[in-house]
Amino acid sequence: MTLPLRVRRLAHGLDLPLPSYQSEEAAGMDLLAAVEAPLVIAPGARALVPTGIAIALPPHTEAQVRPRSGLAARHGVTVLNTPGTIDPDYRGEVKVILINLGDEPFTVERGSRIAQMVVAPVARAELIEVNELDETRRGEGGFGSTGHH
Ligand SMILES: O=c1ccn([C@H]2C[C@H](O)[C@@H](COP(=O)(O)OP(=O)(O)OP(=O)(O)O)O2)c(=O)[nH]1
Ligand SMILES: [Mg+2]
């Protein structure tokens, strides 16, 4: 499924390429850092990183901001609020909250690929309050309830 996604390059990102899928069937498009200058994230620190774009998602969709496994495995850098949620009615700049869980400072260069964005359909729920829920075989079992003898 391919959806049209309107994107606006913001003033501080006009010279950067748009995010793009890096392989034929990539699920996420890589987001670029629109930092004006290299940004150093100290071990244990976090940063709100601009991407230089704003988007208008179609109704009933969201965009999830997810970490890149390469940054996580090599540098311990991940997305703090993963998966970040971009609402379809949000028109502000897409930003990425990176956290450095590694033991070395991590430098975010302008135009570097810091995270990926996955567009997904979303169901909204209408709450119907009831006194009893229908019974199931699982019932209230959870948190490792299966697999015991
Ligand atoms: O990683 C993220 C997460 C969110 N947002 C933007 C888009 C989203 O639509 C908006 C609000 O996000 P969220 O609902 O997660 O944050 P909140 O703390 O609940 O803020 P708000 O009260 O504005 O909803 O912030 C980003 O740019 N990046
Ligand atoms: Mg919110």
Side-chain angles (χ1 to χ4, degrees):
M1 175 173 58
T2 305
L3 292 168
L5 179 57
R6 288 177 202 285
V7 58
R8 195 162 78 85
R9 250 187 282 228
L10 304 176
H12 55 283
L14 290 176
D15 57 317
L16 292 176
L18 289 174
S20 61
Y21 294 103
Q22 297 293 306
S23 72
E24 199 110 330
E25 294 290 337
M29 58 176 93
D30 284 350
L31 295 171
L32 306 181
V35 288
E36 305 285 354
L39 169 70
V40 178
I41 309 177
R46 61 182 184 267
L48 188 59
V49 184
T51 64
I53 59 162
I55 59 178
L57 288 157
H60 309 294
T61 68
E62 64 162 334
Q64 299 175 3
V65 179
R66 303 192 194 170
R68 292 187 65 210
S69 62
L71 290 183
R74 280 200 288 274
H75 304 286
V77 170
T78 189
V79 174
L80 178 57
N81 59 326
T82 187
T85 305
I86 312 290
D87 300 287
D89 54 356
Y90 179 69
R91 296 294 177 270
E93 181 173 17
V94 173
K95 293 184 181 174
V96 178
I97 309 170
L98 287 183
I99 184 161
N100 181 1
L101 300 178
D103 39 28
E104 302 284 338
F106 179 77
T107 303
V108 178
E109 304 284 353
R110 181 171 179 80
S112 62
R113 293 179 287 135
I114 49 170
Q116 57 187 318
M117 185 172 80
V118 174
V119 176
V122 165
R124 278 166 56 102
E126 177 196 350
L127 295 183
I128 302 160
E129 191 175 12
V130 294
N131 290 321
E132 300 290 340
L133 299 173
D134 62 299
E135 280 176 25
T136 66
R137 193 189 277 244
R138 172 183 283 273
E140 296 185 16
F143 316 99
S145 68
T146 61
H148 293 289
H149 299 285

